[in-house]
Structures are given as C-alpha cells and as structure tokens.
Amino acid sequence: MAFDDAYRALTDHDDDARWAYGTGFADPFAGVPTELPAGVDPADLAAYCLMLGDDALIMSHRLQEWVTRAPELEDELALANIALDLLGQARLLLTRAGQAEGSGRDEDTMAFRREAAEFRHVCLAERADADFAHLVARLLVLSTWRLAAFDRLTASRDPMLAAVAAKGIKEITYHRDYAAQWVVRLGDGTELSHARMAAAAEAIAAPAGELFRPHEVEIRLAAAGVAVDPSTLRAEFDAVLGQVLTAATLDPHIFDTEMYAPADCGAAATMPPGPGAPGGRPPSGRDGEHTAALHDILTEMQSLARAVPGGAW
Amino acid sequence: MTTGEAVFTETIERDQRVEPADWMPDGYRRTMIRQIAQHAHSEIIGMQPEGEWITRAPTLRRKAILLAKVQDEAGHGLYLYSAAETLGADRGDLTRRLIEGRQKYSSIFNYPTHSFADVGVIGWLVDGAAICNQVPLCRSSFGPYARAMIRICKEESFHQRQGYELLLNMMSGTPAQRDMVQDSVNRWWWPSLMMFGPPDADSPNTAQSMAWKIKRHTNDELRQRFVDMTVPQAEALGVTLPDPALRWNAEREHYDFGQPDWDELRRVISGDGPLNRQRLARRRQADEDGAWVREAAAAHAARRSGVPA
Ligand SMILES: [Fe+2]
Ligand SMILES: [Fe+2]
C-alpha cells in the first residue's frame, strides 16, 4: 500500500522550539544573573516573589476551570492562553522564590507541597466565579493592577524580577484588554448582561482593596528599589477602571472603596488561621490568610502530586 | 455535462483542489460539510477527557503542556468550523446538530480517563491514530480542508511526542506508575484501533469518498499502518499491547493483529458508550451557560454599528 510522503514531513522534527510550546522556562532567562541584589533580606525577596507568583498560579487555576466551558470557541482559546501566560509567570516567580530563600525548593515543591497558610496571593485570585461576568471582572482588576506593578518592576534591582516583569508586560497588556473588552460588551450589552456585570463588579469591589494595602515586605523592598509599594498604583488603576466602567455604562466609582476588611473575602471561620499580620493591621492573603476557596483549589491541584511520592512525570 | 461539472471532474482527476467558489455536486458539498463538521466536533469534544486533568496535573511543566494541548484542540475545532463555513454551513447550527445528537464525533472520546497515564496514552495512541487518519487528508480534494489539515497534523504530531515523552518518564518512575501506564495502554488499545472505522467490507461510504479523493486510503489500510508504527514504540516503552494475535508476518511485512470488538464500536457510535451522555451534556451546558454572553456581545456589536439587534 502506498502512502503519501506527507507522513515523512511529520517524522523529522527539527523545529524543536515548538516542543517546549511555552513550557520550558530556563531558556528565555539563560543570561539573567541569579545573584540576589545587595542589601536585601533574602526572606523578603522570597516572600515577595511568592506574592506575585501565587497571584498568577491561583488565578491560572481558576482560568483552567473554564476550559471546555467558555461561552464561545474564541474565548476558549483566549482563556487558555491567559491561563498559560500566568502559569509561565508563576513558574518563574516560584523558582525565584526558591532561589532567594536558598532552600532548594523548586517550582513544583512550591506549588504542590506548601500548605494553604504558606500561600501569599490576594483573596481576589482564589474567588470562585459565579459566572463569566465575575471571571472577566476579576481578570480586569488583577491584570490592571499587575500591569501597573510589572511596568515599575522592569526597573527592579533584582535582575530576575526585572526580567520577569519585562517579559510579562506584553502578556498582561493582552489579558487586560481581553477582560476590558468583555466588561464593556457585557455592561453595554443586554439588560441581563448589564445587571450581571454590575453585580460582579460590586461583588469584587471590596476584596479588590486588598491589592493596594501595602504589606511590610512590599514597603521594605520598595525602599530598597526591588519591589513596588502597591499604594502607588492606585491612581493608574482608578484611571483605567474608570474608563472601562464608563464605556461599559457602569458606575465608574465602584472600585473607589478604599476600605478593605478580611470579612469581605468571606475569610476566617472555615480555615485555620494563617500566621497573622504584624502591627495590628488586619491580616490578608499576603500574610497567608485565606478562605475556604483556597482549600478547594489545593485539594484539587495538589492531589495527584501528593498521591505519588517520588513520581516521575 | 455542464461546464462546472466538467471542471470539477477534471480538478479531481488532476489531483487539484476544489475551492469554495467552484461548482461542486451537492453530494460532494454535503459530504464535505458533514466530514469537516464531525471532525470539528471531535476536536471540541476531545478536549474533555484530557481537560479534566489540567487542574490536577502533577507538575507545572506537565500542566502547561496539557493546557497548551487542549488549547490546540480548540484551535483545530475553530479552523475546521471555519472551513465548513466556506461551504455555507454555520458554526452555531453545526454546534446545535452536535448537541442534539444529529451529527457524530469520534467515538474514542466517549471513554473515560482514569489516571494521568491516560493523558500520555491519549497523546501517544489517540493522537497517533488521528495522525494516521489525517495525514492523507492534507491532500483532500477540498482546498480549505486540506490546508487546515496541514497545520493540524503538525500540531497532532507534537501531541503524540509529548504524550509518549510523559509515558517514558512515568516508566522510569515508581512501580505504581509503570502499572498505571500498562493499565492505561490496556484500556485504550482497542478503542484506538476502532478509530479507523469499521472494516472495509462494512464501510459503505468508502468507495464514493475515494472516488472524490475526499478519502485516500481505506480504513483497514490505515489501521495496518497504525499498528505497524505503534508496535515498535510499545516495545521501546516497555509495555505490552493486549492482543494475543499480534505478531510480525514476514511474508506480508506487516504485523498481524486481532479484530476489535465491532459490536462495542456500534454501541458507542449509537450513543451507548461509557460517557456519551456526559460528554454531550457538558457541551450542551457550556453552550447554554454562554448564551447570555453571546447575546450580549451581539447586542453590543449591533449598537456599535448603529444597526438594531
Ligand atoms: Fe486536534
Ligand atoms: Fe491532538
């Protein structure tokens, strides 16, 4: 039986770049120095990398839950893309956290072996999405904040953070645009979609405040030229959100709520308390204080890795 | 014979491509739409069995690979629906046909994924069988389909390699992992052979499809090719294939192998496979849950362009 030569085209795999398909991450940073910046507490740098890395890892998980559930095929592709980008950022940042703490913990140990109280993301990242409006509202808030932060982090004294930020900016710009377009379409769509978009924005307005409340680690590292003080991102955030919400025919001041209380995340009761916060400040996700939603995520995400100790994958 | 008909016949005979604006027989158009749509549906439903493992992938690298693969399948669905649309079909309408059970998708996706080894075995065997089926389609007589298939086949070959690489790693792991791989191979081998369709003797559409050069090889030829390609890979991996009749035939220079349970295939095709209802229910649920979002997008677009929705 004679077969077309087309088969042969598939058996010579010389374009190995495609193999990795965004999954290898050592290469793009091969030339970036890994020494820690002078005068910085390595524990602070590790904690900060976990904050940014866990925001991405946990939000990526929530996006992964939308796979095969998106409203349209184009969104199936877009949401998977965003989930992949965030996963890539998380891998780099968790790896950097392990380098900084000098513990030898790699990205997988960080992702699959930490307990809930060791995670440092904001509660907005772990929230389950009641519907597509909630998802795009969260994505808009998180990516607007992250873009503003990464923009400043390109000048970080930590070369690795600066490199991650520089690489991430293009990705997050796309995430923010994608989310903004949907917020506008839903807000300015049908009566039903308007109501749902408004409800979603209101529901996440208070939790969003957590992003801007500086943690001691952020303040110390910002002073050392390594991190960003998140309170300085507020003006840019408000301007972007105001513009998007106006175009969406929604109240442009929904996110002006300066007040943030842990109860807004539905925190506490069901979870063992995290390590808490110093100085009487209410504890937040940055301190390891999380909701039952994180418990659900970790149960799922870590189940297989923990079930096969010493497994090779 | 009309001029259009003559041109069509000549195009086919000369092994050239029929393009959407060309005259074509109604039967050809209908067959092409059905073939492309069912292929598109298979890509979309095919996201489900492996998609279930993304959130549980045991390493971040595997998570990224799996997520990228499932995303590729969504992309394949998208190109294929677009190719069907060049023939006058409508994506929304095709989706409804799928959801209502009026159009089929590949039966292989009605089987469950019990372990993470299934992710590797699906890549190796299912994507591998898909490649054998699909490479000849890169020469399909319908231009948009042939072009979509070239890109798709390239990506399927990455899926196959990635799946095989996962299995190689797992075989180097713990004894429990090796058992997982063997168990998975045992479950997927026969369904993979069924992916080539019933034996030629029972395949009524083959002759016309071969004449129109929609199809280039018979089911049995493709199945043989797949077996010949896979047996040495199984040996290299260190797993056995669950077929006592499998052996090299030096005279034919091909492997002899046993026949799958064709009654099982008929049951699965007719809707009675392990997960037919669940797969369609999930697709239907996503479509229903997304309806208000699509309506909002349409209303917004209409307002933007000044045309009432
Ligand atoms: Fe595919
Ligand atoms: Fe594939």
Side-chain angles (χ1 to χ4, degrees):
Chain A
M1 96 188 64
F3 277 91
D4 296 321
D5 275 1
Y7 284 108
R8 207 159 305 142
L10 293 170
T11 47
D12 68 300
H13 302 288
D14 36 18
D15 51 344
D16 259 288
R18 187 62 173 62
W19 229 138
Y21 202 44
T23 57
F25 67 90
D27 295 339
F29 296 94
V32 179
T34 54
E35 308 89 71
L36 307 184
V40 168
D41 180 352
D44 277 358
L45 180 59
Y48 187 62
C49 289
L50 288 181
M51 291 176 188
L52 295 175
D54 289 342
D55 282 353
L57 181 68
I58 299 300
M59 184 61 185
S60 177
H61 182 94
R62 285 299 187 203
L63 285 157
Q64 290 156 32
E65 293 178 336
W66 280 86
V67 169
T68 73
R69 296 200 152 101
E72 191 59 282
L73 256 184
E74 285 80 357
D75 301 293
E76 199 68 72
L77 285 162
L79 295 176
N81 230 330
I82 297 170
L84 266 173
D85 286 344
L86 290 175
L87 182 56
Q89 292 177 12
R91 294 176 67 186
L92 294 162
L93 288 160
L94 298 189
T95 300
R96 184 57 170 165
Q99 286 171 353
E101 68 180 20
S103 63
R105 287 201 284 181
D106 63 9
E107 55 173 48
D108 289 326
T109 311
M110 289 292 189
F112 299 106
R113 298 289 159 166
R114 276 183 299 156
E115 302 298 327
E118 298 171 81
F119 278 76
R120 294 286 177 270
H121 57 276
V122 289
C123 73
L124 197 57
E126 73 194 32
R127 262 179 95 90
D129 297 303
D131 60 24
F132 190 68
H134 279 79
L135 174 69
V136 293
R138 287 195 311 120
L139 187 60
L140 177 65
V141 166
L142 288 170
S143 53
T144 302
W145 182 90
R146 198 169 178 86
L147 182 57
F150 273 35
D151 186 40
R152 287 151 183 83
L153 286 174
T154 53
S156 170
R157 279 184 52 235
D158 179 47
M160 208 34 117
L161 264 180
V164 171
K167 178 174 182 286
I169 279 180
K170 213 166 60 187
E171 297 168 351
I172 305 165
T173 303
Y174 163 70
H175 306 173
R176 190 184 73 170
D177 288 352
Y178 173 82
Q181 283 174 21
W182 268 117
V183 169
V184 170
R185 282 189 206 113
L186 295 181
D188 183 38
T190 61
E191 212 172 298
L192 174 66
S193 72
H194 179 86
R196 286 185 175 171
M197 198 60 246
E202 261 158 44
I204 66 159
E210 185 186 2
L211 284 163
F212 301 96
R213 221 155 36 96
H215 188 276
E216 290 71 14
V217 164
E218 291 173 302
I219 292 171
R220 283 196 294 271
L221 287 182
V226 168
V228 193
D229 173 350
S231 62
T232 63
L233 305 177
R234 188 86 223 193
E236 181 179 331
F237 179 88
D238 286 345
V240 172
L241 266 289
Q243 216 184 333
V244 175
L245 293 169
T246 302
T249 70
L250 295 167
D251 173 7
H253 301 292
I254 298 175
F255 288 94
D256 289 1
T257 333
E258 287 287 345
M259 293 305 296
Y260 163 77
D264 291 331
C265 276
T270 44
M271 287 286 279
R281 160 178 77 68
S284 80
R286 302 292 192 214
D287 302 299
E289 196 73 40
H290 300 290
T291 71
L294 181 62
H295 177 76
D296 296 343
I297 290 174
L298 296 185
T299 301
E300 169 106 0
M301 184 173 87
Q302 299 181 334
S303 57
L304 179 56
R306 289 185 183 233
V308 188
W313 309 98
Chain B
M1 213 191 288
T2 67
T3 326
E5 212 172 341
V7 171
F8 174 83
T9 308
E10 200 183 312
T11 305
I12 298 285
E13 272 166 12
R14 288 191 175 179
D15 233 348
Q16 288 169 341
R17 302 285 162 265
V18 177
E19 295 300 329
D22 297 345
W23 184 91
M24 61 189 86
D26 283 347
Y28 178 90
R29 183 184 298 273
R30 269 198 310 276
T31 304
M32 255 356 280
I33 290 179
R34 198 191 59 214
Q35 182 182 356
I36 299 173
Q38 294 189 351
H39 189 169
H41 300 330
S42 302
E43 299 285 355
I44 299 305
I45 297 291
M47 295 166 68
Q48 290 186 29
E50 290 180 276
E52 289 170 14
W53 286 92
I54 295 172
T55 52
R56 290 178 282 172
T59 69
L60 296 183
R61 176 172 175 270
R62 282 289 160 208
K63 191 187 282 286
I65 291 172
L66 182 54
L67 184 51
K69 174 185 173 173
V70 173
Q71 184 194 30
D72 280 352
E73 307 302 1
H76 298 171
L78 194 59
Y79 320 144
L80 289 166
Y81 283 125
S82 303
E85 286 186 323
T86 66
L87 287 166
D90 168 74
R91 199 207 300 181
D93 174 57
L94 296 176
T95 299
R96 262 183 305 285
R97 285 168 193 262
L98 166 68
I99 289 171
E100 290 167 7
R102 290 186 288 139
Q103 277 181 344
K104 304 282 185 203
Y105 56 90
S106 179
S107 289
I108 190 79
F109 301 121
N110 290 318
Y111 290 86
T113 43
H114 288 317
S115 78
F116 200 73
D118 289 9
V119 168
V121 169
I122 288 177
W124 173 40
L125 296 182
V126 175
D127 285 276
I131 292 168
C132 287
N133 265 331
Q134 292 174 7
V135 164
L137 300 176
C138 299
R139 309 274 172 92
S140 165
S141 57
F142 184 56
Y145 190 37
R147 288 188 288 274
M149 288 318 301
I150 290 172
R151 182 163 173 195
I152 289 174
C153 282
K154 274 228 141 66
E155 292 183 354
E156 301 298 2
S157 79
F158 287 107
H159 300 168
Q160 196 198 19
R161 282 202 302 160
Q162 283 162 345
Y164 193 71
E165 191 229 2
L166 168 60
L167 298 178
L168 280 173
N169 285 350
M170 288 184 72
M171 290 302 283
S172 77
T174 66
Q177 284 187 296
R178 284 192 286 280
D179 290 347
M180 249 192 246
V181 173
Q182 183 63 61
D183 166 69
S184 177
V185 170
N186 293 347
R187 284 182 287 110
W188 289 94
W189 174 249
W190 292 111
S192 299
L193 288 191
M194 294 182 200
M195 286 177 69
F196 300 93
D200 293 347
D202 306 337
S203 183
N205 296 327
T206 298
Q208 178 65 80
S209 293
M210 300 271 286
W212 276 338
K213 296 188 181 170
I214 286 171
K215 216 176 151 143
R216 300 271 177 161
H217 307 283
T218 71
N219 297 350
D220 286 335
E221 284 172 351
L222 291 166
R223 199 173 357 257
Q224 179 73 62
R225 182 177 175 93
F226 173 72
V227 171
D228 289 348
M229 179 178 101
T230 307
V231 172
Q233 292 170 346
E235 279 163 11
L237 189 58
V239 295
T240 56
L241 299 171
D243 179 357
L246 188 70
R247 64 178 56 84
W248 178 250
N249 181 328
E251 212 170 291
R252 289 201 309 126
E253 298 202 334
H254 289 292
Y255 284 93
D256 290 338
F257 57 98
Q259 290 294 303
D261 177 353
W262 296 118
D263 287 337
E264 177 179 319
L265 179 64
R266 267 186 287 277
R267 278 197 303 279
V268 181
I269 288 177
S270 66
D272 230 2
L275 293 179
N276 295 50
R277 279 166 209 83
Q278 189 180 314
R279 297 291 186 234
L280 277 186
R282 171 120 183 197
R283 184 69 196 88
R284 188 181 308 120
Q285 191 66 51
D287 192 64
E288 283 168 12
D289 290 349
W292 71 275
V293 175
R294 294 191 298 275
E295 279 158 24
H300 177 74
R303 197 166 305 133
R304 271 294 179 81
S305 63
V307 181

